[in-house]
Amino acid sequence: MADSTDTDRLAESDLDNQALFFHKYPKPGKLAIQATKPLGNQRDLALAYSPGVAAPCLEIAKDPSKAADYTSRANLVAVISNGTAVLGLGDIGPLASKPVMEGKAVLFKKFADIDVFDIEIDAREIDHVCDVIAALEPTFGGINLEDIKAPECFEIESRLRARMKIPVFHDDQHGTAIIVAAAVRNALMLSKKDLADVKIVASGAGAASLACLNLLVSLGARHENILVTDREGVVYEGRNESMDPWKARYARETEKRTLEDAIDGADIFLGLSAAGVLKPGLLKTMARDPLILALANPTPEIMPDLAREVRPDAMICTGRSDFPNQVNNVLCFPFIFRGALDCGATHITEKMKMAAVDAIAALARENVNEVAAKAYGSDTPIFGPEYLIPTPFDPRLILKIAPAVAKAAAEEGVALRPIEDMGQYLETLNRFVFRSGLIMKPIFKSTQDTNHRVIFADGEDERVLRAAQVLLEDRVCQPILIGRPSVIETRLERFGLTAKAGTDFQIVDPSDDPRYRDYVDAYLDKVGRKGITPDSARTIMRTNSTVIAAIAVTRGEADAMICGLEGRFPHHVRDIGQVIGLDHGVKRFAALSVLISQSGTKFFVDTYVQRHPSAEDIAEMTILAADEIKRFGIAPKAALVSHSNFGSDDTEDTRKLRKALAIIRNERPDLEIDGEMHGDAALNPAVRERSMPASTLTGEANLLVFPTLDAANITLNVVKTMLDALHVGPILLGTNSPAHILTPSVTSRGVVNMAAIAAAQVVQNERGEDAG
C-alpha cells in the first residue's frame, strides 16, 4: 500500500499534468487580444486606421491627457518581470516566468476588468531594467512589477517612481504589506493593543517582509519594537553578513541572535521565510493574544493546528486558501490599480496604500449582506480571530478599495482626473461585479466541506471522471458514480487521475448492487400505473442510469443528480418527472441557461424543455428563473423578448407575452420586468428609451425570456458561439430535488459547474432559504 508521501507525490504529479494540459489546450496560453470596435466594412476600417486615426493622434499631440479619451492606455497595465524571483521557483529567467505573468494578467482582468500586457524582459542590472521599463511609459496607464529579486527590486521601484508619471507598484512588496497591515489593524483591535506599543518579530528579510514592516511603521509601529531575523539570525547593529541598506534600516542594538531569543514577549510574528521555522515551543514565550502571520507558501512557518495546540489564544493568518484569514495579494492589487487608473493617478502614494488598508480592515468588520454572504458559503463570517480579513472573492472589495484609493489620490493631488461623482462611480463598479464572470465563485464557496452527495448517471464518461477529481480536490461534494467498477478504475488509471473508488467516492454498479430489488420496488411505486410492468421495471433498473440516479435521490442515498451525456434530453426530463417529480405548486419543468462572457452574464429561459409554452407557462418559468438567479446573489431584471417591440405587431406569440407579463406583475410585483420588446431594447437602455420611455425595466436586462423553445435555443447557441461565452447549464427548474440534465457537448468544467450548482441548491434548501 502506498504511504502518504507516495499519495502526495501522485497528487502533485496529477496536478502538474492537468496544469500542462490547461495551459496548452485548446489554445496555448491564457491571454488573447480582442478588438473593442467593429471592423465590418470599409468605413469601419477608415475610422479605425487610415485616414480616421489621424484625428485622435493630433488631439493627443496637442493634449497628452486626451490619450485617456481616445486610446486604451487609461485601462492598460504592464505586468513586468525579469524572472529573478518567480514564486517559489527562484531565478528561472524571464521566458520561464511568462506563465506566471499571464496568470497575473488574468487576475487583473477577472477581478477588476483591467487589460494587461505581460512583458518579460531580459535585463538584470538595475540601470538596464529601469531604462527598459521607463521607455514604456507612453503605452501604459500603470506598471505592476512582479517577481524581481531583492534587494534590486527596492532600487528599481524607487528609481521608476521618480522617473515615471504613472503608478509603479511592486506587488510582491506592497500587495502583501497592505493585506498584512489590515490583518494587524483588526487583530490589535480585538486584543486591545496599540500598534505603537506592540513588539514585532519578522522571520525573513526579503522584499515582502521589509515592505510589510515599512508600511506598519508608516501606520504607527516603532523601529525600536521591531526585530528582524533571516538565515544569518537577528539583524543587529554591526552585523556584516548578508546586509543591505534596506535591511540595515531595521538593525538594532541588541544581544539577541536567534529567532528563539527574539520572539520572547512578541505580540506579532511576521513570517515570510520558510516552512517550519517557527517551532511550537517558541509560541509559549509570546505575549497574550498573539498574532501569527505564517505566510510561507505552500507550507507556512507553522501549521495553524500546531500553533493552536500551544496557544489557543493566538490569531493566525496564512497564505493558504484552506485556512481562515488567507493573505492573498488578489485581495488588493486589482482594486488599487482600478482606483488609481480611474482617477488618472500619477503615483501610488503611502496615503493611497493606507486607504486600501483601512478599506480592507473595515470591510471585515462590516455585517455581511445577502450578496456577500454567498461568497462565504453556508457559514456567514463574523468579525473575530477567525475572520480578520475578507475572502478574495468578496464582491464588495472593488466597491470599497477602488473608491478609497481614488479619493486618497485626489486628496494628495496626484489624480489627473479626480472622480467627480462618487455615487455614479460606485454604480459603475457595482455593475462590473456581475459582469466579471465571477458569479460561480459564491456557488463553489457555499458548497465547500458540506459533503453533499451528487450522483452521476454517466459515471464511466471521461468528463465525469475528471470532474469528480476536481470536485473532490475542491471539496465541493461527494461524487457517486453509476457504472461498471472495472471500467471506471481502468479509465481513472488511463487518464492519470488519483481518485480511488470506495475511498474517495462510491460506485453504483447496475449489474451487481445489493439494493437492486429495493430500487425496483421504489420505481414501481412511482410509475406502476404509468405503463411500467414489473418485468420492464427490472430491466430499466439494470439499464437506465438516469432512473437509477433519480431513485437514489428519492431514497435519500444521494442529495442531487446529474445526467444527460447519453440519450435524448426529453427522455431524461420524462424520467426525472416520473421519479423525482415537480416541486410543490409547480406545473411544468423549464430550463435556465447562463452565458458568461467578457461583455457580461446573461440568463436565458426556456432553452431546452417547453416547445410552445402558454402565457401561464411563461409566467411560471420566468418566476422560477428569477428565483434561481437570486441564488447567485444577482437581482434579476427580466425582459420578455420578441419580434414585436411594445405592441408594434399583434400575433399569437406577442399576445401570449403580454398576458404573461400581466400574470407576473400580479403574482410578483417585486420583480423588475417589462416586454414584449426587441432584443436590443432589452440590452440597451438608450434604445429602449427611444421606443418606450415609460418602461418599468431599468438598465440592462439580465434575464431574457422567449416565446418558444426554438427562439430561446437558437439565440443561446448563436450568442454563445459569437461571444465565445462559457455556457453554464441548462439548470432544470421546478424539480422536487436538485436534478440537472447535461448536454452531450458539455466539457468536464461544465460538469463541475453543474454539480456545484446542484450541491449549492441542496445547501440552500437545507438552510430553508426561499429564493423568492
Side-chain angles (χ1 to χ4, degrees), residues 71-383:
T71 76
S72 63
R73 182 176 185 262
N75 195 52
L76 186 61
V77 166
V79 171
I80 302 179
S81 180
N82 63 359
T84 52
V86 181
L87 295 177
L89 306 175
D91 186 353
I92 61 174
L95 182 59
S97 76
K98 190 171 182 64
V100 179
M101 303 311 126
E102 284 190 354
K104 193 67 174 280
V106 169
L107 295 178
F108 267 107
K109 187 65 179 178
K110 284 294 184 183
F111 282 90
D113 198 26
I114 294 172
D115 295 318
V116 167
F117 290 162
D118 66 291
I119 299 178
E120 295 74 34
I121 59 175
D122 188 6
R124 301 180 67 89
E125 295 185 358
I126 292 175
D127 288 343
H128 190 191
V129 171
C130 290
D131 287 343
V132 170
I133 296 174
L136 298 172
E137 183 169 349
T139 302
F140 297 101
I143 303 291
N144 186 98
L145 302 176
E146 192 76 15
D147 292 351
I148 300 174
K149 73 181 181 72
E152 289 90 336
C153 62
F154 301 115
E155 182 69 19
I156 289 169
E157 187 193 44
S158 177
R159 290 193 193 181
L160 290 174
R161 285 167 58 89
R163 288 176 64 173
M164 304 179 77
K165 297 303 181 185
I166 57 175
V168 178
F169 187 81
H170 187 204
D171 185 48
D172 297 326
Q173 298 179 52
H174 307 300
T176 302
I178 287 166
I179 304 160
V180 163
V184 168
R185 175 158 288 177
N186 280 343
L188 296 184
M189 181 178 293
L190 291 170
S191 61
K192 296 181 172 57
K193 298 178 183 179
D194 193 294
L195 183 57
D197 300 327
V198 296
K199 179 178 177 182
I200 303 170
V201 173
S203 174
S209 180
L210 295 179
C212 290
L213 296 175
N214 291 341
L215 185 55
L216 290 174
V217 169
S218 297
L219 292 169
R222 295 189 294 177
H223 277 90
E224 58 265 32
N225 292 336
I226 298 172
L227 278 175
V228 177
T229 66
D230 61 9
R231 293 176 182 174
E232 306 295 333
V234 171
V235 175
Y236 60 89
E237 285 188 4
R239 198 184 97 172
N240 296 316
E241 300 86 354
S242 302
M243 293 295 291
D244 58 59
W246 298 275
K247 192 186 302 184
R249 183 183 180 191
Y250 291 98
R252 281 180 50 193
E253 184 177 345
T254 178
E255 298 299 319
K256 298 181 178 183
R257 293 294 182 267
T258 67
L259 176 60
E260 183 176 1
D261 298 334
I263 205 168
D264 184 21
D267 298 278
I268 299 172
F269 171 81
L270 172 62
L272 284 151
S273 52
V277 300
L278 183 61
K279 306 303 179 186
L282 300 184
L283 302 183
K284 295 179 180 179
T285 64
M286 293 186 73
R288 67 168 179 85
D289 302 319
L291 172 62
I292 299 170
L293 296 148
L295 307 183
N297 255 330
T299 306
E301 285 79 1
I302 188 169
M303 295 298 288
D305 52 345
L306 290 177
R308 286 196 180 87
E309 286 181 10
V310 180
R311 293 300 300 264
D313 61 333
M315 292 170 277
I316 305 168
C317 299
T318 71
R320 292 171 51 142
S321 61
D322 52 346
F323 293 111
N325 297 322
Q326 183 193 12
V327 175
N328 186 327
N329 286 8
V330 81
L331 266 169
C332 71
F333 75 79
F335 316 122
I336 287 175
F337 269 98
R338 181 73 278 158
L341 292 172
D342 290 340
C343 71
T346 57
H347 299 87
I348 293 178
T349 66
E350 286 300 301
K351 187 169 183 178
M352 291 163 71
K353 289 188 283 184
M354 291 180 189
V357 171
D358 291 342
I360 294 170
L363 182 56
R365 300 193 296 269
E366 286 187 11
N367 291 329
V368 177
N369 61 28
E370 179 184 356
V371 173
K374 297 190 182 289
Y376 289 89
S378 56
D379 296 323
T380 301
I382 299 173
F383 175 59

Side-chain angles (χ1 to χ4, degrees), residues 468-681:
Q469 180 84 35
V470 173
L471 293 166
L472 288 165
E473 291 174 353
D474 291 349
R475 311 189 307 282
V476 172
C477 66
Q478 288 295 316
I480 303 172
L481 307 187
I482 298 176
R484 294 161 292 179
S486 60
V487 173
I488 290 174
E489 290 172 7
T490 299
R491 291 181 179 177
L492 286 171
E493 184 176 357
R494 181 195 308 166
F495 302 141
L497 303 174
T498 58
K500 300 296 183 185
T503 302
D504 299 317
F505 63 88
Q506 300 176 39
I507 292 179
V508 175
D509 182 2
S511 65
D512 184 23
D513 190 287
R515 299 165 295 183
Y516 170 70
R517 293 185 182 278
D518 294 333
Y519 272 45
V520 171
D521 291 342
Y523 183 51
L524 281 171
D525 285 343
K526 296 284 186 181
V527 299
R529 293 183 179 273
K530 296 179 181 178
I532 302 297
T533 67
D535 284 343
S536 60
R538 284 189 284 270
T539 301
I540 288 170
M541 294 311 300
R542 293 289 191 198
T543 59
N544 190 323
S545 58
T546 296
V547 173
I548 296 171
I551 290 294
V553 171
T554 61
R555 283 170 51 87
E557 293 166 358
D559 301 301
M561 67 169 283
I562 303 290
C563 64
L565 292 181
E566 294 183 5
R568 296 180 60 195
F569 197 96
H571 294 169
H572 296 293
V573 173
R574 176 202 63 201
D575 291 338
I576 291 172
Q578 289 179 342
V579 178
I580 290 179
L582 292 161
D583 199 4
H584 177 71
V586 176
K587 295 181 177 62
R588 296 185 69 183
F589 292 133
L592 176 69
S593 290
V594 191
L595 287 187
I596 303 172
S597 71
Q598 292 293 346
S599 62
T601 299
K602 294 291 181 284
F603 297 82
F604 299 72
V605 72
D606 171 9
T607 48
Y608 283 91
V609 179
Q610 299 187 35
R611 295 182 182 275
H612 296 283
S614 66
E616 291 75 14
D617 294 332
I618 290 174
E620 181 180 71
M621 72 172 67
T622 302
I623 292 170
L624 289 172
D627 289 346
E628 187 65 31
I629 291 171
K630 288 183 179 180
R631 295 181 189 270
F632 290 85
I634 298 175
K637 293 173 177 268
L640 304 175
V641 292
S642 169
H643 76 284
S644 171
N645 201 35
F646 297 105
S648 64
D649 197 3
D650 189 40
T651 66
E652 181 181 349
D653 279 346
T654 60
R655 290 192 293 271
K656 179 172 66 175
L657 290 176
R658 290 170 208 153
K659 183 178 179 182
L661 178 63
I663 295 171
I664 295 167
R665 284 178 169 168
N666 180 60
E667 294 186 6
R668 289 290 293 275
D670 59 308
L671 177 58
E672 188 172 330
I673 186 171
D674 207 349
E676 84 284 7
M677 69 179 75
H678 287 168
D680 57 350

